[in-house]
Amino acid sequence: MIQFTDVVKSYEQGNKALNGVTMQIEDGEFCFLIGPSGSGKSTIIKLITGELKPTSGTVHVNGYSLERIRRREIPYLRRTVGVVFQNYRLIEKMTVYENVAFAMRVVGAREKEIRDRVPYVLELVGLEGKENRHPNELSGGEQQRLAIARALVNNPSTIIADEPTGNLDPERSFEIMALLQEINNLGTTMLVVTHDRNLVELFGKRTIAIDEGLVVNDGLEEEENDEAE
Ligand code: ADP
C-alpha cells in the first residue's frame, strides 16, 4: 500500500513541490498519476522510492515509513517497488538476457533462480527469442518491454512506470499499457505517470490528478470527458 498523508515537500531553494498531498493506493490497484509539467509527479515518485524525504507529513510504502526510514533499510524498500524509468536506463553493453539477470544479481539472487526467472519474465513481456540482442538492436517498444521486465524480475509488489509511452507511437503505447494492465492482473500494484490523456480515457482506471503540488482530482477520468480538450 502507498499512503501519503498531508505531504509537503520543499526543496532547498525554497521551491514548494508538494503542498499537502493526501492519497492512498491499495495493494493490487491500477492507478494513473497525471498533471502538468512541474506539478510534482517526479517528486511523488522520489518520495515513494526513498530518494527524497518529506518536509512534513507521512509517506507509507509497503510497510515502510519513509519519513523515518533508515538508510540501510532503503534497499529493502526498493525491492518492493520496481521502477520503469522514462528513458529506460538499459545497459547498452549487455544483452537483453543479461540486463534482466543483472537486476537479480545485484540483489544477490542465486544463479539457479536467475535461470528460472529471467526466461519467464522475458516471455511475459513478449521478448522471447530476443535474449541475445543488445538494447540498440531493439525497437522503442521492445526497449520499453525490456525495462518493464527488469522492473518486474525481482517480483516487487508495486511497479511505478514514469511516462512509459512517452517515446512510442499510439499503437505501441496501447500495447505497453495493455502489458502493464496484464501485469497488474497478476497482482502487482501499478502506478503509471503519464501525459497521455487518450490512454487514460481509453483504459478507464482510477486517475489521480495533481496540480501545483496538490491533488485536484481522484477518481475515474471517464466521468470528465466533457471537460477534456
Ligand atoms: P513534474 O514531475 O510534475 O514535472 P516535479 O516534481 O519535477 O514535477 O517538480 C515540482 C516542482 O518542484 C517544480 O516547481 C520544480 O521546479 C521543483 N523542483 C523539482 N526538483 C527540484 C530540485 N531538485 N530543486 C529545486 N526545485 C525542484
Side-chain angles (χ1 to χ4, degrees):
M1 187 185 66
I2 297 173
Q3 187 180 44
F4 278 54
T5 308
D6 296 327
V7 175
V8 172
K9 177 65 196 176
S10 310
Y11 286 102
E12 253 126 62
Q13 297 88 332
N15 275 355
K16 240 184 176 188
L18 301 182
N19 287 307
V21 168
T22 297
M23 62 178 190
Q24 182 163 324
I25 300 167
E26 303 294 341
D27 288 343
E29 263 196 277
F30 187 119
C31 186
F32 286 115
L33 178 65
I34 62 169
S37 182
S39 57
K41 303 181 298 297
S42 309
T43 301
I44 288 176
I45 295 178
K46 289 176 184 160
L47 287 165
I48 293 172
T49 59
E51 212 175 310
L52 293 175
K53 283 198 171 183
T55 305
S56 65
T58 61
V59 177
H60 291 185
V61 177
N62 299 335
Y64 293 90
S65 295
L66 279 284
E67 67 284 0
R68 54 190 158 86
I69 195 167
R70 289 162 197 266
R71 192 176 282 268
R72 63 183 160 77
E73 288 178 310
I74 287 183
Y76 298 99
L77 159 77
R78 290 198 180 148
R79 273 174 225 184
T80 74
V81 184
V83 182
V84 181
F85 297 102
Q86 221 174 79
N87 35 19
Y88 314 143
R89 300 197 195 170
L90 301 170
I91 303 172
E92 295 294 333
K93 297 186 306 231
M94 290 187 185
T95 63
V96 165
Y97 183 95
E98 285 300 325
N99 263 278
V100 180
F102 181 69
M104 291 187 76
R105 289 206 179 95
V106 297
V107 301
R110 276 172 280 151
E111 285 304 311
K112 163 103 176 60
E113 290 175 276
I114 294 174
R115 281 198 305 274
D116 287 345
R117 176 85 178 152
V118 175
Y120 167 75
V121 173
L122 287 176
E123 189 181 342
L124 182 65
V125 303
L127 284 178
E128 67 278 10
K130 311 224 158 130
E131 293 80 359
N132 295 323
R133 293 206 193 171
H134 285 81
N136 66 0
E137 299 169 308
L138 298 176
S139 70
E142 288 168 341
Q143 291 182 41
Q144 184 60 282
R145 286 169 187 275
L146 178 53
I148 292 168
R150 191 185 47 189
L152 197 62
V153 76
N154 291 318
N155 207 13
S157 58
T158 307
I159 286 192
I160 299 176
D162 189 4
E163 295 283 356
T165 63
N167 303 315
L168 304 178
D169 62 49
E171 207 173 319
R172 270 354 113 208
S173 296
F174 182 86
E175 288 170 7
I176 289 293
M177 285 305 313
L179 173 62
L180 294 177
Q181 184 168 259
E182 192 186 326
I183 293 166
N184 171 250
N185 287 339
L186 295 172
T188 310
T189 310
M190 193 66 66
L191 180 62
V192 179
V193 178
T194 187
H195 270 102
D196 194 334
R197 287 218 156 236
N198 287 333
L199 277 183
V200 168
E201 280 163 27
L202 206 56
F203 279 81
K205 301 284 186 183
R206 177 182 172 194
T207 303
I208 299 174
I210 62 162
D211 199 6
E212 298 185 358
L214 279 172
V215 175
V216 292
N217 210 337
D218 186 349
L220 283 177
E221 188 68 4
E222 287 174 319
E223 292 158 14
E224 287 178 80
N225 273 351
D226 315 347
E227 288 174 39
E229 249 76 37

